[in-house]
Amino acid sequence: AQSVTQPDIHITVSEGASLELRCNYSYGATPYLFWYVQSPGQGLQLLLKYFSGDTLVQGIKGFEAEFKRSQSSFNLRKPSVHWSDAAEYFCAVGAPGNTGKLIFGQGTTLQVKP
Amino acid sequence: DAGVTQSPTHLIKTRGQQVTLRCSPKSGHDTVSWYQQALGQGPQFIFQYYEEEERQRGNFPDRFSGHQFPNYSSELNVNALLLGDSALYLCASSLEVAGEYQETQYFGPGTRLLVL
């Protein structure tokens, strides 16, 4: 069955520290991969996406993610976290060429300590 | 360039009632998908509309139905509401390219439905 696992439900980091959010997926082939962020009471904002090509993708707000086929992972990273990064982060997968039906992970809540 | 808009922002209903939620896609987009996000969970796909027809459907009962209008806007209808239908309902839009594939989805702010 297709699924997305975000192993860390809650992560707390200090402002200025580096961040890595984990995402593992189970899919029949290499899917399209996405990271979305959701601030309290808000909808989802796309941070970055991977369709094909270079496995290290750059996104908005200084985020990047690396696709590792051998590990079925698509981890999100940021070198220096800002207080405004506190939010819920969702990893999602979609069928290549058919991203209308996304499968989301449960999400990781990021708390930033001053 | 207007993004995806949804109305209303909040809604309170009682069990057994019916509700209609509305979505206007991002300018230039022709495909609309609906998701249900329960508290503390990731969004779950309900269905997708393209060319005014339901094209894909997730694991949701027939109480959940939808419609897409010629201007690509969409409605989500839920009949016989249950307490468990309380959630944030998200609409997402995308562009079907050459009738073959879709690019990235963009999400609206959602409608928060509370069923009492």
Side-chain angles (χ1 to χ4, degrees), chain B residues 10 18 25 42 49 52 56 59 68 79 86 91 100 106-107:
Chain B
H10 295 82
Q18 179 264 345
Y49 276 84
E52 302 180 47
Q56 299 185 86
N59 189 24
Q68 185 179 35
N79 294 323
S86 296
C91 170
E100 294 181 352
Y106 293 86
F107 283 79

Side-chain angles (χ1 to χ4, degrees), chain B residues 3 6 17 39 45 49 60 75 79 84 94 110:
Chain B
Q6 294 185 244
Q17 285 189 313
L39 200 61
F45 176 77
Y49 276 84
F60 279 81
E75 289 181 349
N79 294 323
S94 56

Side-chain angles (χ1 to χ4, degrees), chain A residues 1-83:
Chain A
Q2 300 161 354
S3 65
V4 176
T5 302
Q6 294 180 244
D8 305 304
I9 295 182
H10 192 108
I11 282 184
T12 300
V13 300
S14 297
E15 190 168 17
S18 64
L19 170 71
E20 182 170 27
L21 302 182
R22 296 183 290 164
C23 172
N24 294 96
Y25 65 89
S26 173
Y27 205 85
T30 300
Y32 285 1
L33 296 156
F34 304 84
W35 275 99
Y36 285 88
V37 61
Q38 185 176 38
S39 298
Q42 303 295 312
L44 300 173
Q45 181 182 23
L46 179 68
L47 285 176
L48 47 78
K49 60 189 178 185
Y50 173 78
F51 285 179
S52 64
D54 191 348
T55 57
L56 184 63
V57 294
Q58 302 297 321
I60 62 171
K61 303 184 180 184
F63 285 93
E64 67 177 26
E66 185 172 13
F67 168 58
K68 293 185 177 179
R69 185 190 309 273
S70 61
Q71 298 177 17
S72 296
S73 69
F74 188 56
N75 294 349
L76 181 72
R77 300 193 295 249
K78 186 169 185 178
S80 177
V81 170
H82 187 263
W83 64 266

